[in-house]
Amino acid sequence: MTVDLKRLSYQEYLDLPEMKARYSIVDGELVMAAAPTTEHQRAILELALELTPFIRERRLGEVFIAPLDIVIRRDPLRTRQPDLLFVSNARRYIVGQQVIEGGPDLVIEILSPSNTRGELQEKLQDYRAIGVREAWVIAPQGQTVEVLQLSTGSIERSGLYGLGDFIVSQVLPELRLTVDEIFPEP
């Protein structure tokens, strides 16, 4: 099968073989991401180890880690791959065999040195547009977690947390997670 990677249609995208690489599709164009750093990988692992048991024990929904595509729109095709995402039982219908089609309750983006502010803002606007309720932006270099509330009309910071702080989440209000737990001493 020959596919024009410059302008993928939704069906061509679904027909692609599974890829282990990190990428987004922006207006039909495949945009590859650099491999995550070791700091990035550690933060993803720690978050998954903390969030998964919390969510499973309470039967709240499911946690997924990248690479897994969220379809932002079909035409022109746009997808995103947050580092980690949470889909509540109430939104379980968005979880498909290959992709997530709709807004998860929570997306987590871990910043890499190559990320630009513009790229992050574009991702956040995409997440807001599909109904994501909350986004965490994690900065490994600064060891901070920014929690953002996404609504139809805006993106608002509800907290910026550093070492020693508990992260306050409106999506997971019972969660007791400190920034230190995301960045343990190696």
Side-chain angles (χ1 to χ4, degrees):
M1 170 174 86
T2 302
V3 175
D4 177 8
L5 292 180
K6 290 292 183 191
R7 293 288 171 241
L8 279 174
S9 72
Y10 181 72
Q11 190 56 53
E12 289 169 332
Y13 155 73
L14 289 178
D15 291 341
L16 285 173
E18 183 176 334
M19 289 192 272
K20 293 181 180 9
R22 298 284 311 269
Y23 64 89
S24 292
I25 299 172
V26 179
D27 299 333
E29 186 173 339
L30 194 64
V31 180
M32 300 303 289
T37 65
T38 53
E39 282 182 321
H40 192 119
Q41 286 290 323
R42 285 184 189 113
I44 292 170
L45 178 60
E46 294 301 329
L47 279 163
L49 289 171
E50 293 293 334
L51 291 178
T52 301
F54 173 84
I55 287 166
R56 280 187 177 165
E57 288 168 9
R58 290 161 182 76
R59 293 182 162 80
L60 299 175
E62 285 186 272
V63 173
F64 296 95
I65 58 172
L68 177 63
D69 290 331
I70 297 175
V71 176
I72 306 300
R73 68 173 178 251
R74 289 186 179 196
D75 190 27
L77 183 61
R78 183 178 286 244
T79 68
R80 296 291 182 184
Q81 290 185 355
D83 292 295
L84 195 139
L85 61 99
F86 162 65
V87 177
S88 67
N89 290 326
R91 293 185 179 201
R92 178 171 281 156
Y93 64 90
I94 70 172
V95 179
Q97 284 294 104
Q98 288 180 262
V99 297
I100 304 290
E101 286 214 52
D105 296 85
L106 169 67
V107 296
I108 299 175
E109 289 284 351
I110 300 170
L111 298 177
S112 296
S114 63
N115 291 132
T116 68
R117 188 127 189 86
E119 289 170 341
L120 177 61
Q121 288 303 327
E122 192 173 290
K123 285 180 184 181
L124 292 171
Q125 290 298 336
D126 283 346
Y127 295 145
R128 183 195 57 74
I130 62 168
V132 172
R133 295 171 48 203
E134 185 170 281
W136 295 6
V137 178
I138 298 178
Q141 290 180 325
Q143 296 187 321
T144 61
V145 177
E146 182 179 21
V147 177
L148 304 165
Q149 301 307 310
L150 285 58
S151 66
T152 307
S154 67
I155 298 173
E156 295 187 22
R157 178 193 284 175
S158 61
L160 179 62
Y161 307 99
L163 294 175
D165 294 335
F166 279 96
I167 299 165
V168 178
S169 169
Q170 290 181 20
V171 168
L172 300 170
E174 296 176 16
L175 181 67
R176 302 287 295 159
L177 176 66
T178 65
V179 174
D180 303 67
E181 291 170 289
I182 297 171
F183 302 109
E185 294 292 322

